[in-house]
């Protein structure tokens, strides 16, 4: 069985000091993270805060650093970009194709594929993001949308440690959430599609491909999503900005059998 995972994605929030304070608060004994033993915790602060947050998290095993994005070229004249190899000095994980990158920064399926490849080449676990738009959801085209994203985003990527993050775009930061039976049906479909690409062992739960749900996850709903048979964890945006809420979500996920 896969280890569960909770990803706290701070996005473009918190400066370096605030990021360190939030990580320090999360580790305070009052939140009892020492008792969490079957869940990996990944924090993705801004690039600037990665190093300092890593120092805080070094106090406890099972907490990993992740980058919110990565550029796919290994090096060169790409002003403002950060390569996977550079990130690998600090990070164990990196997002590839978060919907906000696709929406605001023009990430295409081809770019996302190259980002996934760059991560695997550099030994970073990619957090490969997929998710249908509100329009596709309303039109009943969720599965076709996701199949396209998976087949293009992973085309010739060899089986590897990976997180496949399902984030229905219409549920991000909106407080609107899909029903758990909808998420379970989609995650089952995602794992079947991965099995088609990689063979059943790579997606059936024995291997390192973890399927994670994101979209307005909060302490009240985290356990319901994490308990779904085809879900290996959750990614949290807004609620993760508060250490107390993030700790509650981590415990809720860890308690699920
Ligand atoms: P949210 O963000 O929890 O604020 O909806 C989740 C995400 O962007 O993955």
């Amino acid at each position: 069985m896969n280890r569960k995972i909770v990803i706290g994605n701070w996005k473009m929030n918190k400066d370096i000091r605030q990021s360190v304070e939030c990580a320090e608060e999360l580790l305070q004994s009052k939140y009892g993270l020492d008792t969490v033993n079957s869940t990996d915790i990944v924090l993705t602060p801004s690039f600037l805060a990665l190093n300092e947050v890593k120092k805080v998290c070094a106090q406890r095993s099972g907490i990993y650093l992740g980058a919110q994005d990565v550029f796919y070229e290994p090096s060169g004249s790409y002003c403002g970009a950060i390569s996977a190899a550079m990130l690998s000095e600090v990070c164990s994980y990196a997002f590839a194709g978060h919907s906000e990158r696709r929406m605001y920064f023009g990430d295409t399926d081809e770019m996302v594929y190259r980002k996934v490849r760059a991560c695997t080449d550099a030994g970073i676990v990619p957090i490969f993001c997929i998710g249908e738009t509100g329009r596709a959801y309303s039109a009943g085209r969720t599965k076709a949308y996701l199949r396209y994203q998976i087949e293009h985003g992973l085309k010739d990527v060899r089986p590897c440690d990976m997180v496949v993050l399902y984030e229905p775009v219409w549920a991000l930061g909106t407080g609107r959430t899909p029903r758990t039976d909808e998420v379970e049906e989609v995650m089952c479909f995602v794992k079947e599609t991965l099995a088609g690409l990689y063979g059943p062992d790579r997606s059936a739960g024995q291997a390192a491909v973890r399927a994670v749900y994101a979209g307005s996850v909060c302490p009240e709903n985290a356990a319901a999503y994490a308990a779904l048979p085809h879900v290996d964890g959750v990614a949290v945006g807004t609620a993760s900005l508060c250490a107390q809420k993030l700790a509650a979500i981590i415990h809720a996920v860890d308690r699920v059998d």
Side-chain angles (χ1 to χ4, degrees):
M1 189 177 145
N2 285 335
R3 274 182 69 75
K4 287 173 283 184
I5 184 168
V6 173
I7 303 167
N9 183 4
W10 295 342
K11 305 188 182 179
M12 200 175 73
N13 296 291
K14 298 188 188 295
D15 58 23
I16 298 174
R17 183 182 55 77
Q18 291 165 333
S19 301
V20 165
E21 282 172 4
C22 190
E24 282 173 349
E25 185 185 342
L26 189 66
L27 292 181
Q28 281 175 14
S29 56
K30 65 179 175 182
Y31 294 136
L33 289 197
D34 283 350
T35 63
V36 170
N37 52 28
S38 60
T39 304
D40 292 333
I41 301 164
V42 181
L43 297 179
T44 66
S46 76
F47 288 122
L48 292 175
L50 279 167
N51 253 321
E52 294 303 315
V53 172
K54 184 169 180 152
K55 285 183 203 157
V56 176
C57 294
Q59 299 165 26
R60 187 194 178 281
S61 61
I63 304 188
Y64 302 91
L65 270 289
Q68 297 177 19
D69 188 38
V70 59
F71 189 54
Y72 43 78
E73 294 292 350
S75 63
S77 300
Y78 301 102
C79 188
I82 302 181
S83 73
M86 290 169 172
L87 289 174
S88 71
E89 294 185 291
V90 190
C91 296
S92 311
Y93 293 79
F95 277 93
H98 188 282
S99 64
E100 287 156 12
R101 299 298 309 182
R102 295 179 188 256
M103 202 172 353
Y104 301 122
F105 300 92
D107 280 20
T108 62
D109 289 305
E110 175 66 19
M111 288 160 74
V112 174
Y113 155 72
R114 295 179 72 182
K115 290 179 178 195
V116 171
R117 282 289 304 263
C119 286
T120 59
D121 289 350
I124 293 181
V125 178
I127 304 171
F128 167 59
C129 304
I130 56 173
E132 81 281 9
T133 59
R135 184 180 289 191
Y137 174 73
S138 306
R141 288 193 297 107
T142 295
K143 288 181 183 171
Y145 201 98
L146 299 180
R147 184 196 302 278
Y148 184 92
Q149 287 185 321
I150 293 171
E151 287 178 353
H152 286 75
L154 297 182
K155 29 183 181 189
D156 60 356
V157 176
R158 289 194 309 275
C160 59
D161 283 5
M162 186 188 307
V163 174
V164 178
L165 179 61
Y166 170 55
E167 38 170 19
V169 174
W170 51 272
L172 293 195
T174 61
R176 282 177 63 210
T177 48
R179 297 189 315 270
T180 49
D181 62 302
E182 290 179 303
V183 172
E184 173 57 11
E185 188 181 335
V186 166
M187 296 304 240
C188 185
F189 170 78
V190 165
K191 288 201 167 175
E192 278 169 12
T193 306
L194 290 168
L197 279 182
Y198 289 150
D201 284 355
R202 301 302 301 181
S203 61
Q206 294 112 343
V209 178
R210 290 185 280 186
V212 168
Y213 169 76
S216 296
V217 173
C218 60
E220 292 73 31
N221 65 18
Y225 289 120
L228 297 171
H230 289 90
V231 174
D232 300 305
V234 295
V236 193
T238 311
S240 76
L241 297 173
C242 166
Q244 186 180 6
K245 288 186 185 169
L246 181 56
I249 291 167
I250 293 165
H251 282 294
V253 170
D254 196 56
R255 277 195 296 271
V256 168
D257 283 333

